[in-house]
Amino acid sequence: EYIYRDLIDNLGNKFILLNKMASVLLKQWFVKKAIKFYEKAYNKKPSDYDTIEILSELTFEIKDYKSCIEYTVLYLKNNPRDPNKLTIRGFCTEKLWDKKWAVVQYKKVLEMQPYNSEIKNRVEKLEKKLEKEEIEKENQMLQEEVIQQEQKQKKEQKKEEKVKKQEKESVD
């Protein structure tokens, strides 16, 4: 590690040195530090798909799903049918925000690996969750509609009572 630090200090942020330093740190289980050096290497040479792949894997490992999606998308531009990266993208998307989009990613994996039981189970589970959420959403909307109707009826009833009261007072 110290040799590469000295080289980087003396020669500057050269792509190869940054990658080597990251690799050394990774072997010592300093994953977050390694990521920083891989990111510096990526900034020097954004077209290096090996570095992008490593960043995708490492950010997934530390559960930085947002960064993982970014690097995985970059990687998939060059390797659009990589089932491992599509799975990772699906998982991260599922964890962050969009179960429907995750299902789309998982189904792409199933096109390439139709017997992948883990992904099949994940798709089935997500589709059930989505269906349940949709039903709950519809029920919520129906409940809100019923409440609005009840409020509307109460307002109309009050108006009618007020009109009747006014009519009664005018008759007297």
Side-chain angles (χ1 to χ4, degrees):
E1 173 184 350
Y2 297 108
I3 294 170
Y4 287 111
R5 281 195 192 275
D6 288 342
L7 287 170
I8 290 169
D9 288 343
N10 292 325
L11 300 174
N13 286 337
K14 305 284 185 202
F15 174 79
I16 191 75
L17 293 175
L18 294 168
N19 254 338
K20 293 289 185 185
M21 179 65 167
S23 179
V24 167
L25 288 167
L26 195 55
K27 287 177 185 170
Q28 296 173 357
W29 295 100
F30 295 120
V31 177
K32 289 184 180 182
K33 286 183 181 179
I35 288 171
K36 287 181 182 178
F37 279 92
Y38 278 122
E39 286 175 337
K40 287 179 182 180
Y42 166 73
N43 289 332
K44 287 283 181 190
K45 191 175 177 184
S47 61
D48 185 70
Y49 283 95
D50 291 333
T51 303
I52 293 169
E53 181 177 23
I54 291 168
L55 282 166
S56 169
E57 297 288 335
L58 292 178
T59 51
F60 180 74
E61 187 176 311
I62 66 166
K63 296 178 171 73
D64 180 358
Y65 298 130
K66 187 175 179 185
S67 296
C68 182
I69 288 174
E70 291 172 18
Y71 291 119
T72 303
V73 166
L74 288 170
Y75 183 82
L76 287 169
K77 285 181 181 178
N78 196 46
N79 303 290
R81 298 196 44 84
D82 183 321
N84 181 41
K85 292 294 179 266
L86 289 168
T87 300
I88 286 174
R89 184 170 156 185
F91 185 84
C92 292
T93 304
E94 175 186 347
K95 287 292 182 186
L96 287 177
W97 63 88
D98 192 345
K99 291 179 184 83
K100 287 180 184 179
W101 184 243
V103 168
V104 170
Q105 299 308 302
Y106 292 143
K107 285 184 176 183
K108 288 180 183 179
V109 174
L110 287 175
E111 288 173 10
M112 293 176 271
Q113 299 175 339
Y115 301 108
N116 187 327
S117 59
E118 182 182 338
I119 298 299
K120 272 186 184 177
N121 291 338
R122 191 161 214 105
V123 167
E124 288 173 8
K125 185 179 171 183
L126 279 175
E127 286 178 335
K128 285 179 185 177
K129 274 185 180 179
L130 287 167
E131 186 177 322
K132 183 180 176 183
E133 286 175 4
E134 190 64 34
I135 289 170
E136 288 173 358
K137 191 176 180 181
E138 286 176 14
N139 284 340
Q140 176 92 22
M141 288 172 56
L142 286 172
Q143 286 176 346
E144 288 173 4
E145 200 173 300
V146 166
I147 290 170
Q148 287 176 352
Q149 287 293 337
E150 288 174 350
Q151 289 173 344
K152 188 177 179 181
Q153 285 175 347
K154 284 180 182 179
K155 282 182 180 180
E156 288 176 10
Q157 206 172 26
K158 284 183 179 182
K159 280 183 181 179
E160 286 177 15
E161 288 173 4
K162 190 176 182 180
V163 167
K164 284 181 182 179
K165 187 177 179 181
Q166 287 175 348
E167 286 177 352
K168 187 177 179 182
E169 287 176 356
S170 68
V171 170
D172 288 339

